[in-house]
Amino acid sequence: MKKLGVSLLLLVLSIILLSACNSENEAEAETDNNSGSKKITLWYWNRGLDESVLEKVKEEFPDIQLDLQKLPPGKDYKTKLTALLTSKPGKDSPDLVLMNIWLSEYLPYSEKFLNLYDYNGKDIEQNYPAWKVQQGVSGDGKTMIAVPVDTAPTGLFYREDIFKDAGIASSPEELSDKVKSWDNYVSVLQELKDKKGVYAESSMKDVFSKQINKLDKRYFDADNKFIGDQEHIKQEWDKAISLGKDGLVLGNIEELTQEWNAALINGEIVGYDGPVWAKDIIIDTAPALSGKWKVSRSPVADGNDGGSFLSVLKSSKNPEIAVKIAEFINNEENQVTSYKNMSLFPAHNKALANTELGQSEEYFGGQNTSEVFVESAKNVKEAFRGTKETIVSTAFRDELDLVATENKDPEKAWQDALDKIARDLSM
């Protein structure tokens, strides 16, 4: 009886505590209502969004209490986002979350996001390139989980002085025409090596990844079925192997690393098929080379390497307002502002056509490089990104590393990559 009495007492205390907590939450919600202020919490990372645009949000939505939470980027951000999506929403859960090109990894959690097709999504998607919108849409096309923030179209950064001396091209337009096919691009790489002893590619694995970013289908189909063992991927593998075999890559130097930066400064690397956001990296890395670099269209086809999105969580207490804020941050005017302030290259179609986007750039010899990247952004191919792209990409790149560093047989490396992918995808 004594034991039963204690249990009853604990039960009563629990009920009292629970009631107290509920009363506290209700009181807090009531306080928000009384103040006329609705709270919207936004997760982002440093330089992921333009702070001046976020200040404009407060002016545009004066009745909203905007809680801006800047989190550590990269792996830490994804870990926290994953924890959020795999747990029950709490009182402090965000309404809006920034996501990068890796948002496809979160499509399996699409039920945790607001389906923007229920919130004017068909009109929203008309404002952005189809290939960009498609990255935030489920494979069956029924769920749109994100508004595009910025894009990362590619171009061929190159040393104009070296290319001229080698008799390859005297203008970005001439070089764009010259590298439209893979065979012609290989010829250019061969000329650079033969005539100047320099390179525009630094590793087979980066050649492979960049070519994948130009395709209209990647490692998975719209049903998220693995197709990375098919001919369209094997062809790109063989192209990368061929460049390595012919000595047309500098070594096994990963792009944008310190070693790559050093090769850029000492003139071993004179070309780079890379995204628009790398422009600032090149300027910061080699300021003494100001005026010597130009940008042409990417070899073979335009690609995209990066770009972010803004999503609304289904748990938001104010979903309509959260969607309007996402649209406001990414309207034409604010995306142009974000590009000017933060080099976040626009995704909005009208922003891409805005004349304020382009200007003469001293580092690039007075060239308006935006013209190149705008055309690139318009021509990136739609390609479904699977939910486990990282597993596949890592396996292929690791095996290309072994081909480069241990002279591993390329065909065995290809098969070993496929075997590892099969194991990892089955887990």
Side-chain angles (χ1 to χ4, degrees), residues 171-225:
S171 70
E173 294 76 17
E174 185 180 357
L175 185 58
S176 296
D177 287 338
K178 207 157 190 175
V179 296
K180 282 183 175 177
S181 72
W182 174 256
D183 288 344
N184 287 349
Y185 181 52
V186 173
S187 295
V188 167
L189 297 177
Q190 190 71 59
E191 283 189 84
L192 284 173
K193 182 186 176 187
D194 293 345
K195 296 179 179 178
K196 294 292 181 180
V198 294
Y199 301 85
E201 298 290 354
S202 59
S203 72
M204 288 186 286
K205 60 187 175 186
D206 283 332
V207 171
F208 176 74
S209 295
K210 290 184 293 188
Q211 292 305 308
I212 298 298
N213 285 338
K214 302 170 192 275
L215 300 178
D216 59 3
K217 56 181 178 179
R218 297 170 59 90
Y219 303 125
F220 296 88
D221 65 15
D223 294 324
N224 212 31
K225 179 185 175 186

Side-chain angles (χ1 to χ4, degrees), residues 15-32:
I15 292 172
I16 291 172
L17 283 172
L18 186 60
S19 299
C21 289
N22 287 339
S23 298
E24 188 176 322
N25 292 340
E26 288 167 4
E28 186 172 334
E30 188 67 22
T31 299
D32 283 343

Side-chain angles (χ1 to χ4, degrees), residues 114-266:
L114 209 65
N115 184 357
L116 296 178
Y117 284 137
D118 297 331
Y119 292 81
N120 201 34
K122 286 295 181 184
D123 288 336
I124 293 173
E125 68 180 4
Q126 298 303 314
N127 292 327
Y128 306 94
W131 65 265
K132 179 69 179 180
V133 172
Q134 182 261 347
Q135 291 177 352
V137 175
S138 59
D140 61 8
K142 295 179 179 177
T143 306
M144 177 183 179
I145 68 167
V147 177
V149 174
D150 67 309
T151 58
T154 63
L156 178 57
F157 297 86
Y158 74 100
R159 284 277 300 274
E160 184 185 39
D161 54 335
I162 304 292
F163 277 62
K164 269 186 179 176
D165 285 349
I168 295 172
S170 57
S171 70
E173 294 76 17
E174 185 180 357
L175 185 58
S176 296
D177 287 338
K178 207 157 190 175
V179 296
K180 282 183 175 177
S181 72
W182 174 256
D183 288 344
N184 287 349
Y185 181 52
V186 173
S187 295
V188 167
L189 297 177
Q190 190 71 59
E191 283 189 84
L192 284 173
K193 182 186 176 187
D194 293 345
K195 296 179 179 178
K196 294 292 181 180
V198 294
Y199 301 85
E201 298 290 354
S202 59
S203 72
M204 288 186 286
K205 60 187 175 186
D206 283 332
V207 171
F208 176 74
S209 295
K210 290 184 293 188
Q211 292 305 308
I212 298 298
N213 285 338
K214 302 170 192 275
L215 300 178
D216 59 3
K217 56 181 178 179
R218 297 170 59 90
Y219 303 125
F220 296 88
D221 65 15
D223 294 324
N224 212 31
K225 179 185 175 186
F226 178 64
I227 56 172
D229 56 349
Q230 296 183 2
E231 189 59 27
H232 66 288
I233 299 297
K234 184 62 162 56
Q235 285 179 354
E236 304 309 329
W237 172 278
D238 289 342
K239 286 177 183 176
I241 294 292
S242 176
L243 285 193
K245 180 182 175 184
D246 293 340
L248 298 180
V249 296
L250 178 56
N252 192 40
I253 301 174
E254 193 165 340
E255 291 170 349
L256 306 181
T257 60
Q258 287 191 348
E259 193 176 4
W260 185 85
N261 289 347
L264 193 83
I265 293 170
N266 67 28

Side-chain angles (χ1 to χ4, degrees), residues 40-41 85 94-99 109-116 119 124 144-147 309-327:
I40 294 289
T41 300
L85 298 175
D95 301 88
L96 287 156
V97 293
L98 186 65
M99 292 199 285
Y109 303 101
S110 59
E111 77 280 1
K112 296 292 184 86
F113 295 95
L114 209 65
N115 184 357
L116 296 178
Y119 292 81
I124 293 173
M144 177 183 179
I145 68 167
V147 177
F309 303 81
L310 206 50
S311 295
V312 180
L313 291 177
K314 191 176 282 185
S315 57
S316 171
K317 294 176 182 174
N318 301 291
E320 293 85 359
I321 295 173
V323 172
K324 288 185 183 301
I325 290 175
E327 288 186 82

Side-chain angles (χ1 to χ4, degrees), residues 35-39 58-66 321:
S35 66
S37 174
K38 294 179 179 177
K39 183 179 177 182
K58 297 175 183 176
E59 298 170 8
E60 183 72 14
F61 300 89
D63 295 333
I64 296 299
Q65 179 191 346
L66 188 61
I321 295 173

